[in-house]
Amino acid sequence: MKKYGIGLLIILICLSTFVLGFHKKDHREPNLFYQVYLDDTLIGTIRSKDQLLNMIDKQGEYIKRKYKVSKVLAPNGLEIKKVNTYHDKIESSATIYDKIQKKRPFTIPGYQLTLKDGDKVTKLYVTDKKMVKRAMENVVKTFVGEDDYRNYMNETQPKITTTGTQIENIYIQTYMTMKEMNISVTNQIYTDETEFSKYLLYGDATKETQYTIGVGDTIEKVAYSNKISPEEFLIYNPQFTSRTNLLFPGQLVRIGMIDPKIKVVVESKVVRDVVTNYKTEERYDETKLVGDDKVIQKGENGLVRLTQKVYNVNGSNIGAETQNSEELKPTINAIIVRGEKEIPTVGSGIWYWPTNSYYVIRGMEYGANPVTGIREAHTGIDITDACGQPIYAANNGVVHTASYRYDNGIYVTINHNNGYYTLYAHMSRSIVSRGQTVAKGQVIGYVGATGYATGCHLHFEALSGGAPYQGGSFFDARALY
């Protein structure tokens, strides 16, 4: 009987232990913790999410002062997940903070500004959207001019009564997007309006030198010899307001190169009176000896009032559309009768202007190619004229080239056999061939926009000492006249 009582007691004890033990485990509560991940890799478990985020913000006081922000945030790629677990192995927020600090930089709230120009994409980081707007306005003012920009915005531009210029539209052509994001403090972050304006205008091209003006220097000549555009000269030397301003020997000027990150387009209505220089018509008389020349009609310059829509990008004229032309005074051509009617192969006498138009929209200068955007030397002059207008040989000579080239389009070069060559580019078509003898004033082709051209015009070059691309030296074609 004793034996049965002891066995029963053991069974009761085991049963109560099992029941009590099971009851205790069933009522145990799981812990609420936070697991910290960096790029989906677990780096630790903490008790308080807020404590870690507050520590990141508090420890980043120097970052707040540097970037003028009120809060420092966790690194990009950091994720904190709430978990309920029986696991009770946790680390302090300070330990996790040290791990994060060693692996990834912290961030601040801001914006990513993306600028896209063709295939070129530039990403910039800022803390203030209003600062970006003010900086871009500063760049616009640089290219437009403070007074002209203010009058345009306030609609107080003076009206054109006879001649003058009136801005019709100003806009930024560059494609831009802005998105709010947490910015890593390892990025270049702009907080200052002046600093950001400077970058948008100059980019990384901040090298600057001084130049001493010599005898005979002009703004265009100084700019070309230093491989910059006249517009860049004016930006670095705001005391000058036009490329026609006079310089004096010994004067110090600044030479620098800009690299704008945005394209500021200005569309203007321009009314100007343009002198149309008379041309000299040469007639030949087989009964007269060579050199027995006689002027039978004197030439007189005419005057035309042109109304044009002019396009400027970052201060450079890239084209003009003639909207109206009013003849104020007719042009009377001179007529000279020369002895012995023949076409000499050697250029001589007065050079013949190659088009009916005399409006030069661009001279020899350095700047960005309006088609490719590449900085290069512009080795000739651009004369605006309507497509299909005739192009004349500037003097007697022999056609050296009549061909097509990717940048010149359809073009012709003439060897004048007097040490000079001339080149006529962007033709719609040419009507001469290599080896053909041409006379001064003879039609050799027609104005077009082939090759690298943004509109109808003649690109006219003059060279001495050799042919184009064969050792010839370029000089301003206007020097021939």
Side-chain angles (χ1 to χ4, degrees), residues 308-326:
Q308 295 178 311
K309 188 170 186 176
V310 177
Y311 300 88
N312 282 272
V313 175
N314 290 349
S316 295
N317 189 322
I318 65 164
E321 296 177 3
T322 299
Q323 298 174 326
N324 187 51
S325 177
E326 177 186 357

Side-chain angles (χ1 to χ4, degrees), residues 106-311:
F106 296 113
T107 64
I108 59 173
Y111 303 88
Q112 176 183 280
L113 176 65
T114 302
L115 307 177
K116 187 174 182 180
D117 184 9
D119 294 332
K120 184 179 180 181
V121 177
T122 303
K123 293 184 178 181
L124 305 172
Y125 301 94
V126 297
T127 56
D128 183 3
K129 287 196 292 188
K130 293 181 180 179
M131 183 274 289
V132 174
K133 182 179 178 181
R134 293 193 302 268
M136 289 193 174
E137 191 172 40
N138 291 338
V139 176
V140 172
K141 289 178 182 177
T142 299
F143 290 121
V144 178
E146 187 88 31
D147 293 340
D148 289 343
Y149 180 76
R150 182 174 59 252
N151 288 333
Y152 169 76
M153 295 299 293
N154 295 334
E155 298 184 355
T156 55
Q157 295 184 86
K159 293 183 178 180
I160 300 175
T161 54
T162 54
T163 60
T165 300
Q166 193 170 58
I167 297 173
E168 294 183 332
N169 195 14
I170 300 174
Y171 58 93
I172 295 175
Q173 194 176 49
T174 307
Y175 178 77
M176 294 182 290
T177 59
M178 182 179 287
K179 68 176 181 179
E180 192 171 3
M181 64 179 296
N182 296 342
I183 308 170
S184 169
V185 294
T186 56
N187 288 314
Q188 169 69 54
I189 303 173
Y190 292 95
T191 61
D192 180 74
E193 176 184 331
T194 302
E195 182 185 4
F196 193 54
S197 300
K198 186 177 180 181
Y199 178 79
L200 290 177
L201 183 61
Y202 299 105
D204 298 319
T206 56
K207 186 178 180 181
E208 179 185 318
T209 59
Q210 281 194 328
Y211 177 86
T212 303
I213 300 300
V215 177
D217 272 345
T218 64
I219 288 177
E220 290 186 348
K221 183 178 177 181
V222 171
Y224 190 82
S225 63
N226 285 279
K227 298 185 178 181
I228 64 173
S229 69
E231 287 70 33
E232 287 173 314
F233 179 95
L234 295 173
I235 287 172
Y236 272 89
N237 299 276
Q239 67 271 31
F240 302 106
T241 58
S242 168
R243 61 169 67 191
T244 59
N245 287 164
L246 297 178
L247 306 175
F248 59 84
Q251 188 175 14
L252 286 176
V253 295
R254 299 162 62 201
I255 301 296
M257 190 182 299
I258 64 172
D259 181 21
K261 298 304 176 185
I262 58 176
K263 287 184 177 179
V264 179
V265 180
V266 180
E267 298 176 359
S268 302
K269 177 182 178 181
V270 178
V271 182
R272 54 165 64 92
D273 290 343
V274 178
V275 173
T276 54
N277 296 334
Y278 70 84
K279 295 178 180 178
T280 301
E281 180 183 339
E282 295 180 330
R283 298 178 182 176
Y284 296 89
D285 188 339
E286 293 180 353
T287 65
K288 293 182 179 293
L289 298 174
V290 174
D292 184 9
D293 303 335
K294 183 179 179 180
V295 177
I296 63 173
Q297 178 172 292
K298 291 184 177 180
E300 293 183 15
N301 292 336
L303 191 66
V304 174
R305 179 163 292 171
L306 293 179
T307 301
Q308 295 178 311
K309 188 170 186 176
V310 177
Y311 300 88

Side-chain angles (χ1 to χ4, degrees), residues 64-133:
K64 295 179 186 178
R65 292 191 298 270
K66 180 179 179 180
Y67 296 107
K68 302 173 186 176
V69 294
S70 60
K71 196 166 187 64
V72 175
L73 305 172
N76 291 320
L78 188 79
E79 187 177 5
I80 303 175
K81 299 179 179 179
K82 183 192 294 185
V83 293
N84 290 308
T85 178
Y86 292 104
H87 175 71
D88 57 1
K89 184 181 179 181
I90 63 171
E91 295 178 88
S92 67
S93 295
T95 301
I96 298 300
Y97 174 87
D98 288 339
K99 288 183 180 181
I100 295 171
Q101 189 178 37
K102 292 175 182 177
K103 291 178 178 289
R104 188 69 55 82
F106 296 113
T107 64
I108 59 173
Y111 303 88
Q112 176 183 280
L113 176 65
T114 302
L115 307 177
K116 187 174 182 180
D117 184 9
D119 294 332
K120 184 179 180 181
V121 177
T122 303
K123 293 184 178 181
L124 305 172
Y125 301 94
V126 297
T127 56
D128 183 3
K129 287 196 292 188
K130 293 181 180 179
M131 183 274 289
V132 174
K133 182 179 178 181

